[in-house]
Amino acid sequence: MKSTGFLALNAPFLGAGVLMTFASSFGQTFFISIFAGEIRQAFDLSHGQWGGIYALGTTMSAIVMVWAGGLTDTYRVRVLGPGVLLGLAAACLAMAVNPFVWALPAIIFALRFFGQGMSSHIAVVAMARWFVATRGRALSIASLGFAFGEATLPFLFVSLMTIVDWRVLWIVGVLLCLAGVPVLARLLGKERIPGSHSQSESSLGMRGQHWDRGQVLRSPLFWVMVPAILGPAAFNTSFFFHQVAFAETKGWSHVDLVAFFPLYTLMAIGAMMVSGWALDRFGTARLMPLYQLPMAVSFLIFAIATGPGTMFWGFLFLALTTGANSTLPNAFWAEFYGTTHIGSIKALAAAVMVLGSAIGPGLTGWLLDRSFGLEQQFVAIAAYFAFVTAVMVFGIRKAAQSLPQDAFR
């Protein structure tokens, strides 16, 4: 199918995916972290205390995601989506008006659960279920919402904070989430029925079957993939979560650092679109094992960067993995485990990912409080990704022998 025909035929469904991934921005670390300095100052928190609160709220959301993510196997997006957007709007409002430090973990939980967790989960599960032969393209297009939010919101809101109180800016998030409710209802007025669609155009996983959640948990491949799911979530999150501290370490202003973000996002979009095309052409079995190597290179560069020229290369390599991470892992679960229970299976992966995003900021903040600098940490993080790559090469290639023959298209 030509790209123009694909877009025209599927515009409402793809648009719903873009809307949900963009809305997730208000619960993503790249957005919350731009207020890190103001939150720490308002509640008199150290790096470690703020990281601990963030880790606690995020861990709570990971636990709830194991159950809530499976709702996508039962309910349509037009039913779940508006409820999630309303919950995210309420979380943004709570952050805007909250005066109590003890309430921060609950607010972070709500932002992470409705934003990073359910908004993005609904979008990627819908794309994985609704599209089979063009799954890569659908995932890459839907993920443009992530990219647009990442490209525009940090620089815009950091700039606005120079003239507007940071709490007021969270009200903007409330209004945008509320505006998304009628738009989503309009886009999915004639939503595909997930069950019937997946039965007519289903894709089988390993051993020619659809795996359920229990079978996945007993599968060695799932546990091989856990470190790979944790890594980008933990350490990409850490990088953006501690962006203020990183800028201070390098002797730059915060605005100078976030000025790289739109360029980084554009490069990630390019990597995402290429990975979506490559996924449809080659399948995840060939692409997954090596896609985290660029992230190892990026953290090494960040550790030694001294100026804008060096930082550009760091963001380039980071973008290569970030872009691929928007498509490959989400398609991986459908390709290796089938699509009938994809919501419940993806919920497991989402919970691990959310848990990783809790561990990363908490761990790096704890190390910062103990004078273990970010540059030293980044070298260790690069070594972690090299190790994960070796594990994936072995595990995925072995499991791929059980895939249907057409998986190697």
Side-chain angles (χ1 to χ4, degrees), residues 126-206:
M127 299 304 108
R129 175 174 282 126
W130 292 342
F131 301 90
V132 179
T134 55
R135 183 177 292 136
R137 271 184 285 177
L139 284 167
S140 61
I141 291 170
S143 296
L144 289 174
F146 292 124
F148 181 71
E150 202 168 40
T152 59
L153 297 180
F155 186 76
L156 174 63
F157 277 67
V158 169
S159 300
L160 287 174
M161 271 194 288
T162 62
I163 56 174
V164 180
D165 183 75
W166 68 275
R167 292 181 183 273
V168 174
L169 295 179
W170 280 97
I171 301 297
V172 177
V174 175
L175 298 176
L176 289 174
C177 290
L178 292 177
V181 174
V183 174
L184 186 65
R186 175 81 178 188
L187 289 171
L188 296 181
K190 296 181 179 180
E191 181 184 349
R192 290 168 170 164
I193 300 174
S196 64
H197 186 76
S198 63
Q199 290 298 321
S200 62
E201 295 189 42
S202 63
S203 58
L204 299 171
M206 295 180 293

Side-chain angles (χ1 to χ4, degrees), residues 200-284:
S200 62
E201 295 189 42
S202 63
S203 58
L204 299 171
M206 295 180 293
R207 303 174 190 168
Q209 68 184 56
H210 291 287
W211 296 58
D212 61 30
R213 178 182 284 184
Q215 291 172 317
V216 170
L217 285 172
R218 294 189 295 271
S219 165
L221 178 61
F222 176 78
W223 298 104
V224 164
M225 291 302 298
V226 165
I229 306 167
L230 277 170
F235 300 121
N236 201 17
T237 297
S238 295
F239 177 78
F240 287 100
F241 184 81
H242 291 294
Q243 59 185 261
V244 175
F246 181 65
E248 292 173 354
T249 297
K250 296 296 184 180
W252 306 328
S253 71
H254 189 194
V255 173
D256 287 340
L257 179 62
V258 298
F260 277 100
F261 291 1
L263 177 62
Y264 157 73
T265 302
L266 287 175
M267 294 187 292
I269 290 172
M272 180 175 63
M273 301 305 290
V274 170
S275 69
W277 169 85
L279 191 160
D280 291 337
R281 178 69 178 84
F282 302 109
T284 58

Side-chain angles (χ1 to χ4, degrees), residues 122 222 291 330 354:
I122 288 171
F222 176 78
Y291 88 101
N330 294 318
V354 174

